Amino acid sequence: MRAKRNVLTYLAEKDWLIIFLWFGLSLISATLEIQRENINNYLIFKNVFFHVWRQLPLYIPYPNEYYDVNLYGPVFSLMIAPFAWLPTHIGALLWSLSGAAALFYAIRQLPVTRIQQGIIFILCSQEMMGASTWFQLNQFIAAFIILSFVYTIKGKELWAAFFIVLGTLTKFYGIVGLAFFFFSPNPWRFIGSLFLWAAVLFVLPMAISSPSYITHSYVEWIEALVHKNAKNVDASVTFQDLSAGGFIKRVFHIPWLNNLFVLVPATILFALQYIQLEFRYNSRYRLYILCSTLLFPVLFSTSSESPTYIIAVPALCIWYALQPPTRANNIYIFVSILLVSFSHSDVLTPWFRTNIAIPYAIKALPCLVMYLRICYEIYTKQFLSQSTNTILTSDRLKPVA
């Protein structure tokens, strides 16, 4: 198994291979879905801009335009605007590739070696390919969370706050970026920047609509999310709630379980990671918190679907890239990627997908195990172990200047 890890390290040095796996596979998969006219999510997104522009209700069905409903905030209309004016097929393709590019850029900014980044790209490439076929926003949300982490530890609070607020006002998942507040060398600037961007991004969509319309749309957005949550917990909807709560309810046959019985303990476990805050300038501790933060909104949200896991999978890969190349770690990541990124494909056979992966929300299992493992390793200070052949690009134990 050690030799296999060396092969992975060798492949991670090949930029051409990484570009092909990341962008080439995404391009191929997105193109195939466009040819099949399977671009409903993009049609929803495209029309968010036109609905805001025409001041039409954002959260009602438009069966003549697409099926399902929009669930993103009004500021999303500005994100999708450059694509909305393009011919639909071209816009859909560029939107999908832009999501891949955003996450690629974010991972390249992580404070780890280029080889470690390469390992992350290779291990995430299957999940990236799958996410590209859904034309969703999740790749951007993952990028926003990572960039809010990167800019916080760099002392660039204005940019960190921008990505936190933008992520929050589009899909709400971006709010988890607040977890990096304690890593900021300028906490008051961090807080001020949050208020600044909250005001700017709240008002900005009014430029293409009106103040009353945008204000009312935000009220309707909250109502739509509450309604969607109620639908997600319906056990008969097997493609929704692929979360830790959904996994527990389906495996143990307790569909009546309130999600709070999972969310509250998970939040307490997350908060307890800050008992080691004395090490907040240690790069390894920071990256462990990043991994935990990426996992949290996917694992403990009833809105989690298969393509949502492009937010969580980088956490598995970042953690692995920081570990020594042991047999146990190699087996662990192999099984994790297999169950998360391949469980909904034909690799594990259609029977496994239909009878095991989807009905029991198996995608959540490796991520839940990782979340608990990261919490344990932080509680027990295992992140301080230096028995590894990986080298961080920054491992300072003093505040950033």
Side-chain angles (χ1 to χ4, degrees):
M1 294 301 294
R2 187 180 183 88
K4 290 183 179 180
R5 177 64 182 271
N6 290 338
V7 170
L8 180 59
T9 303
Y10 170 77
L11 295 175
E13 297 176 332
K14 310 301 179 184
D15 287 345
W16 65 267
L17 176 63
I18 290 170
I19 294 297
F20 171 74
L21 291 176
W22 195 260
F23 291 103
L25 294 180
S26 294
L27 173 64
I28 293 169
S29 60
T31 300
L32 290 175
E33 293 304 307
I34 290 171
Q35 290 177 343
R36 297 167 184 153
E37 295 293 336
N38 190 15
I39 56 172
N40 184 72
N41 286 325
Y42 177 73
L43 295 178
I44 295 175
F45 296 169
K46 175 178 180 175
N47 283 286
V48 167
F49 170 77
F50 293 111
H51 292 166
V52 170
W53 191 26
R54 296 163 184 160
Q55 299 188 42
L56 299 173
L58 279 179
Y59 306 104
I60 64 173
Y62 287 90
N64 293 330
E65 298 175 2
Y66 49 77
Y67 63 87
D68 211 343
V69 295
N70 168 53
L71 289 170
Y72 297 118
V75 75
F76 179 66
S77 62
L78 300 180
M79 279 188 63
I80 197 67
F83 306 91
W85 288 103
L86 297 172
T88 298
H89 288 176
I90 295 175
L93 182 61
L94 292 179
W95 169 255
S96 182
L97 292 177
S98 295
L103 187 51
F104 183 89
Y105 174 79
I107 292 173
R108 277 298 187 209
Q109 306 313 303
L110 286 172
V112 296
T113 66
R114 195 168 180 87
I115 290 179
Q116 288 172 313
Q117 293 172 0
I119 291 172
I120 295 167
F121 285 126
I122 291 172
L123 294 176
C124 286
S125 59
Q126 167 65 19
E127 194 68 29
M128 183 71 250
M129 181 181 72
S132 296
T133 66
W134 289 80
F135 302 94
Q136 288 197 354
L137 183 65
N138 298 304
Q139 299 93 305
F140 286 97
I141 296 298
F144 294 167
I145 295 172
I146 292 174
L147 289 174
S148 65
F149 167 81
V150 168
Y151 287 122
T152 297
I153 65 176
K154 287 183 176 181
K156 297 181 179 180
E157 287 81 8
L158 187 66
W159 283 111
F162 170 76
F163 287 110
I164 292 171
V165 175
L166 181 60
T168 303
L169 294 183
T170 50
K171 193 173 180 175
F172 200 69
Y173 280 12
I175 199 171
V176 299
L178 293 174
F180 312 131
F181 170 77
F182 295 108
F183 299 153
S184 171
N186 305 290
W188 287 111
R189 187 190 301 169
F190 188 98
I191 294 172
S193 297
L194 288 173
F195 281 104
L196 172 64
W197 283 117
V200 170
L201 294 180
F202 181 85
V203 171
L204 205 55
M206 298 177 186
I208 60 170
S209 55
S210 71
S212 60
Y213 169 80
I214 294 299
T215 302
H216 185 63
S217 292
Y218 273 107
V219 174
E220 292 182 326
W221 184 37
I222 299 300
E223 294 173 350
L225 292 178
V226 171
H227 177 68
K228 182 64 161 57
N229 179 71
K231 291 176 61 178
N232 290 341
V233 297
D234 184 351
S236 65
V237 185
T238 56
F239 286 95
Q240 294 288 337
D241 197 14
L242 300 185
S243 63
F247 169 77
I248 293 170
K249 286 186 285 188
R250 297 174 192 186
V251 169
F252 296 100
H253 302 287
I254 45 176
W256 45 264
L257 180 69
N258 191 308
N259 194 54
L260 288 177
F261 286 104
V262 179
L263 180 59
V264 171
T267 304
I268 294 173
L269 288 176
F270 189 92
L272 287 176
Q273 294 175 109
Y274 291 99
I275 63 176
Q276 306 296 357
L277 202 54
E278 62 182 297
F279 300 105
R280 63 185 176 275
Y281 299 114
N282 179 279
S283 290
R284 195 174 298 273
Y285 173 68
R286 289 171 166 180
L287 287 165
Y288 271 45
I289 293 293
L290 171 62
C291 292
S292 185
T293 303
L294 288 167
L295 290 166
F296 191 91
V298 179
L299 274 175
F300 306 110
S301 168
T302 60
S303 295
S304 293
E305 306 169 288
S306 179
T308 315
Y309 275 79
I310 191 58
I311 301 172
V313 169
L316 301 177
C317 304
I318 293 169
W319 176 90
Y320 174 71
L322 298 175
Q323 306 310 310
T326 64
R327 180 186 298 271
N329 286 336
N330 290 338
I331 293 174
Y332 179 79
I333 196 64
F334 173 79
V335 173
S336 296
I337 295 298
L338 190 66
L339 291 180
V340 178
S341 297
F342 291 91
S343 61
H344 283 216
S345 70
D346 288 343
V347 171
L348 293 178
T349 74
W351 181 91
F352 182 87
R353 180 182 65 241
T354 304
N355 296 282
I356 303 294
I358 295 175
Y360 294 102
I362 291 299
K363 283 180 79 85
L365 177 58
C367 294
L368 178 59
V369 172
M370 176 57 73
Y371 180 77
L372 296 175
R373 180 168 183 170
I374 288 174
C375 290
Y376 174 77
E377 291 183 356
I378 289 179
Y379 303 155
T380 57
K381 300 184 181 180
Q382 291 186 28
F383 64 90
L384 292 174
S385 172
Q386 298 301 315
S387 59
T388 172
N389 66 349
T390 59
I391 302 174
L392 299 177
T393 58
S394 173
D395 208 9
R396 291 173 290 184
L397 296 178
K398 58 182 179 180
V400 177

